[in-house]
Amino acid sequence: MRALITGITGQDGSYLAELLLEKNYDVIGMVRRASTESFERINHIKDKLTLVQADLLDQLSVINLIEEHRPDEVYNLAAQSFVPTSWLQPVLTGEFDALGVTKMLEAVRLVDKKVRFYQASSSEMFGKVREVPQTENTPFYPRSPYGVAKVYGHWITVNYRESYNMHASSGILFNHESPRRGLEFVTRKISYYVAMIKHGYTDKLPLGNLDAKRDWGFAGDYVRAMWLMLQQETAEDFVISTGETHSVEDFCRLAFDHVGLDYKDHVITDPRFVRPAEVDLLLGDSSNAREKLGWEPTVSFEQLVQMMVDADIELLKDKPPQL
């Protein structure tokens, strides 16, 4: 089997690449041309991958990529994935997260409609939630340009599936974290600052809304769900979540507790980090995925927080922090 992963240098791409290599896939990774290339998350497996330059914004490069390498499966994980950036760069976010999906689907349709396609949808599409918990049938109400673009990407995938009889599935993944999460994301920011405070580099952690609640899981568990979706006889969309919700404050409390500190001594609220429109509560119902895919998470919320803090404590042990 041969798989193409867009966004292979990201958190999810790196875990998915590991999983597919374990299953003896040939793994093709699509990477963008950049003046400084960052392969930090895949350096340990880079010699087992085939990395090819192409760009979601360049339709022809994507068509050529699929035509040359003829994958059996395409996992479209590439995106502008940081919600706050989507207010600063809403047009670019739309180009990548909405039209970029269309260009990938169109490339698959033109080259080989038998290719199985996975689209990375997001719980941010639910936004101002219409019901709790959220299922595959919950109406979308996105609260950011990122969420809006992801809704387009989701529905265009459904449209290609129904219009061209393509095996195209969307995973509506709730928040999933790991030690490989980018430093701009709140979970990794917390674990990184806890490590900095523990090592004496700083004393304060500035955050936005501590009351925001999310359904947080481990990225390594969630990429397994992506693969399982493309092994099904019939394509459909699945919510992937733990079914538990925790606040940012909960995450802080556990992270600081893990190193013997009280978060109240270190966490400060900074208005700069409050979103223009907040998503207050995300809680997913993944019973459909558990029943049909046989999927379930293996890492608890507490284990996830501790894993991330331990990794950052180790990371900063011998080198100064990056801020």
Side-chain angles (χ1 to χ4, degrees):
M1 291 290 286
R2 175 172 292 178
L4 167 65
I5 303 173
T6 74
I8 194 167
T9 59
Q11 169 188 258
D12 293 7
S14 66
Y15 281 111
L16 180 60
E18 286 176 349
L19 177 74
L20 296 180
L21 288 172
E22 286 171 13
K23 296 182 181 297
N24 295 315
Y25 275 63
D26 289 334
V27 179
I28 317 298
M30 187 180 103
V31 294
R32 295 179 69 203
R33 170 77 181 91
S35 53
T36 56
E37 295 178 323
S38 175
F39 298 120
E40 183 183 343
R41 296 182 181 95
I42 56 170
N43 269 335
H44 63 296
I45 53 171
K46 197 176 168 190
D47 60 338
K48 300 175 185 173
L49 307 170
T50 302
L51 299 179
V52 183
Q53 285 187 2
D55 197 306
L56 281 185
L57 303 188
D58 185 341
Q59 177 81 77
L60 191 57
S61 73
V62 175
I63 293 172
N64 289 340
L65 172 59
I66 292 175
E67 204 152 40
E68 181 181 348
H69 293 278
R70 295 286 173 160
D72 301 290
E73 299 170 356
V74 171
Y75 296 86
N76 186 41
L77 311 185
Q80 191 298 100
S81 59
F82 188 46
V83 175
T85 296
S86 73
W87 276 287
L88 300 174
Q89 298 180 326
V91 176
L92 185 73
T93 300
E95 292 275 6
F96 277 115
D97 299 6
L99 294 180
V101 184
T102 314
K103 289 171 182 173
M104 287 300 304
L105 285 162
E106 190 66 0
V108 170
R109 184 184 75 82
L110 289 169
V111 176
D112 183 1
K113 286 196 293 187
K114 294 192 296 294
V115 172
R116 296 190 172 198
F117 182 87
Y118 172 84
Q119 166 58 17
S121 287
S122 167
S123 59
E124 288 286 332
M125 301 188 304
F126 294 121
K128 191 174 181 180
V129 298
R130 306 286 84 188
E131 63 182 5
V132 179
Q134 294 88 53
T135 72
E136 291 83 0
N137 298 315
T138 301
F140 300 134
Y141 194 140
R143 296 270 281 171
S144 66
Y146 171 81
V148 172
K150 280 291 186 180
V151 170
Y152 178 102
H154 179 85
W155 281 118
I156 200 69
T157 302
V158 173
N159 189 257
Y160 269 66
R161 177 170 73 222
E162 296 178 350
S163 300
Y164 303 115
N165 196 30
M166 291 167 60
H167 195 295
S169 300
S170 285
I172 307 173
L173 271 57
F174 280 65
N175 295 63
H176 46 289
E177 319 297 320
S178 76
R180 299 180 194 173
R181 196 53 142 153
L183 288 171
E184 67 272 25
F185 291 87
V186 68
T187 51
R188 181 70 197 290
K189 180 179 179 181
I190 293 168
S191 66
Y192 197 77
Y193 267 80
V194 166
M196 283 202 299
I197 291 166
K198 188 67 177 175
H199 284 305
Y201 288 115
T202 187
D203 189 47
K204 296 299 177 192
L205 163 56
L207 291 173
N209 179 13
L210 296 182
D211 296 325
K213 292 185 175 180
R214 296 290 183 271
D215 184 328
W216 276 301
F218 172 52
D221 284 337
Y222 284 41
V223 299
R224 193 162 26 86
M226 299 176 187
W227 176 78
L228 285 167
M229 284 182 217
L230 295 201
Q231 311 318 305
Q232 303 307 299
E233 195 172 322
T234 305
E236 64 177 291
D237 308 320
F238 290 93
V239 163
I240 305 299
S241 64
T242 69
E244 296 179 12
T245 190
H246 299 277
S247 67
V248 174
E249 188 172 14
D250 293 337
F251 201 108
C252 287
R253 182 183 299 108
L254 274 173
F256 279 95
D257 280 353
H258 188 54
V259 296
L261 296 172
D262 186 341
Y263 79 101
K264 292 176 183 174
D265 296 333
H266 304 281
V267 174
I268 56 173
T269 302
D270 188 328
R272 291 179 302 159
F273 301 119
V274 176
R275 294 181 180 184
E278 181 60 89
V279 174
D280 295 314
L281 171 63
L282 290 176
L283 175 61
D285 177 359
S286 58
S287 53
N288 197 36
R290 294 174 195 238
E291 181 186 329
K292 292 182 181 175
L293 304 178
W295 176 87
E296 59 180 41
T298 64
V299 176
S300 71
F301 177 67
E302 292 78 8
Q303 289 170 325
L304 174 65
V305 175
Q306 292 169 6
M307 173 200 305
M308 292 178 68
V309 170
D310 287 342
D312 280 329
I313 292 278
E314 183 65 25
L315 180 69
L316 295 180
K317 191 171 65 177
D318 299 315
K319 67 175 185 178
Q322 298 172 305
L323 285 180

